[in-house]
Amino acid sequence: MPIITDDKEYKGVWCYGEVRHGNLVPTIYELIHVAKGLNETLKEDVSAVLIGHGVSDKAQDLIDHGADKVYVMDDPIFENFVDEIYTQAFTELILKEKPNKLLLPASTIGRSFASRVAVTSNTGITADSTEMAVDADTRVLRATRPAFGGNLMATIVCKKHRPEMVTVRPMSFPRAEKQDGRQGQIIQVPVDASQWKQRTKFVKFEVNQEDVQDIATAEVIVSGGRGVGNAKGFEAVHDLAKLLGGAVGASRAAVDAGWIEYRHQVGLTGRTVRPKLYVAAGISGQIQHLAGMGSSDVIVALNKDPEAPMMKLATLSVEGDLFELLQATIKEINRRRG
Ligand SMILES: Cc1cc2nc3c(=O)[nH]c(=O)nc-3n(C[C@H](O)[C@H](O)[C@H](O)COP(=O)(O)OP(=O)(O)OC[C@H]3O[C@@H](n4cnc5c(N)ncnc54)[C@H](O)[C@@H]3O)c2cc1C
């Protein structure tokens, strides 16, 4: 594919709708929200792309959330996500339809998929973006992401190749709102896999057998920090999270100390979360932690230091020993539930 100096034949902002085990991953609504924002400058169409098996019935929902068009590739070959197959399908569609900007979720699948699609479409990609804007004169996308371990924010542009691709960090943006009955176009894309190459195959999917949720999607997160003291100290955090049907989060200090795995880390170099309730137990509330959870609806801080930044930020700040407070909360919930 040639280097693009004139992007006028590339039009529209596309959002990839990831489907996992037959369900649409809600990050697509965040992507549509971002796309609509970019479109205020671009004034082109916002489209969504669905690839999967039995996914056609999800197209109208994406229109209701703000997509003008939905491209659907619905075929048994897409039953399970396999990078090579999905990449060939998506690349063919991109080369044919020529979108201008392309947003994908920075999920585990999205990261792997997007980088392959960028290579096969011969274009550039900014990974894990948390901020995006379009330059009004050049129509170039400016995608910002944390760089050098979060020590600086880098704004990246892709000047000469199209589409400009970005993976968007889940939970970094609000979701597009639903408007029932919106009009849009659903385009069923014919699937011809006869020329596609496949060297890997899907074997099986094993669900992580944890009794608490993943922080990425949980509506309640109970997080522990250095104040928890050691790995055993996380048991009380875990007990409350389990009781509330939520997830266990952690500060980087706790993760770096080896008390809990990295996938629980909230913050600039961890994950961004936006739960309805975030309980911060023994977390001081440094800026890098707040960057990952500051948009939570309700924040409860449990800390023995009333001057800790988290205590100032929280909706409800409780001063005291976190273990005593967690145990008292668990006891009270159990009492009320009988
Ligand atoms: C580039 C960069 C990226 C970073 N990314 C992240 C990130 O993604 N996420 C992240 O969390 N941090 C990140 N950090 C680290 C961040 O700056 C802080 O060091 C870290 O968040 C501190 O964790 P903490 O609040 O658990 O520990 P501390 O700051 O040590 O706070 C511990 C708190 O526990 C309280 N406490 C202690 N004992 C008790 C008790 N018994 N009961 C009640 N309260 C108690 C204390 O009063 C204190 O407020 C990053 C730093 C840098 C430089």
Side-chain angles (χ1 to χ4, degrees), residues 34-325:
V34 173
K36 288 173 77 174
L38 301 177
N39 217 24
E40 283 174 16
T41 308
L42 283 172
K43 307 216 180 304
E44 295 173 356
D45 283 342
V46 169
S47 300
V49 179
L50 277 175
I51 305 176
H53 184 214
V55 292
S56 300
D57 62 348
K58 302 180 195 322
Q60 183 58 45
D61 177 57
L62 298 178
I63 290 172
D64 290 346
H65 279 88
D68 301 304
K69 288 183 198 162
V70 182
Y71 293 90
V72 182
M73 301 184 94
D74 195 333
D75 192 275
I77 197 169
F78 303 126
E79 180 70 39
N80 295 298
F81 177 79
V82 177
D83 280 290
E84 286 170 302
I85 293 297
Y86 272 60
T87 300
Q88 288 164 95
F90 203 11
T91 305
E92 280 181 9
L93 188 64
I94 290 167
L95 297 183
K96 180 165 175 277
E97 298 293 335
K98 298 188 170 52
N100 192 346
K101 326 274 182 222
L102 173 53
L103 315 178
L104 295 97
S107 58
T108 308
I109 283 181
R111 285 168 199 229
S112 167
F113 182 36
S115 51
R116 281 172 182 264
V117 171
V119 171
T120 51
S121 307
N122 192 28
T123 189
I125 183 167
T126 302
D128 216 13
S129 180
T130 52
E131 227 179 287
M132 272 157 282
V134 171
D135 188 294
D137 299 328
T138 60
R139 293 156 41 88
V140 165
L141 181 67
R142 297 180 174 278
T144 303
R145 56 153 295 156
F148 295 102
N151 283 309
L152 57 89
M153 299 300 281
T155 298
I156 299 171
V157 296
C158 173
K159 283 189 178 164
K160 294 195 171 166
H161 293 74
R162 295 293 179 271
E164 295 152 288
M165 284 182 64
V166 176
T167 59
V168 179
R169 188 184 270 219
M171 302 286 180
S172 295
F173 296 93
R175 293 178 183 174
E177 286 189 11
K178 190 170 182 185
Q179 219 188 308
D180 283 327
R182 260 190 99 249
Q183 300 291 309
Q185 201 184 349
I186 298 173
I187 302 160
Q188 292 287 346
V189 181
V191 177
D192 175 9
S194 57
Q195 301 299 313
W196 295 352
K197 296 188 180 71
Q198 185 177 1
R199 288 161 298 182
T200 51
K201 69 172 183 175
F202 177 85
V203 180
K204 67 173 174 174
F205 185 86
E206 270 181 32
V207 181
N208 196 351
Q209 297 295 350
E210 271 193 297
D211 57 359
V212 287
Q213 289 191 35
D214 185 86
I215 56 169
T217 48
E219 295 201 333
V220 175
I221 298 176
V222 185
S223 278
R226 206 193 311 265
V228 162
N230 51 39
K232 194 162 168 43
F234 263 94
E235 283 174 12
V237 175
H238 176 273
D239 288 349
L240 181 60
K242 190 177 163 194
L243 197 61
L244 296 174
V248 174
S251 73
R252 177 161 160 179
V255 172
D256 286 353
W259 302 341
I260 187 161
E261 289 170 42
Y262 169 73
R263 66 194 157 88
H264 294 272
Q265 185 179 317
V266 173
L268 197 58
T269 44
R271 285 155 99 179
T272 304
V273 297
R274 202 181 265 257
K276 290 193 173 142
L277 172 64
Y278 188 88
V279 182
I283 298 178
S284 60
Q286 301 306 311
I287 188 80
Q288 295 89 354
H289 189 83
L290 302 183
M293 46 62 70
S295 305
S296 308
D297 289 354
V298 173
I299 298 169
V300 176
L302 311 179
N303 204 303
K304 62 182 184 186
D305 176 8
E307 297 304 316
M310 187 66 86
M311 295 286 270
K312 310 259 182 218
L313 170 93
T315 326
L316 177 67
S317 305
V318 191
E319 187 186 336
D321 175 70
L322 70 93
F323 296 104
E324 285 174 19
L325 294 170

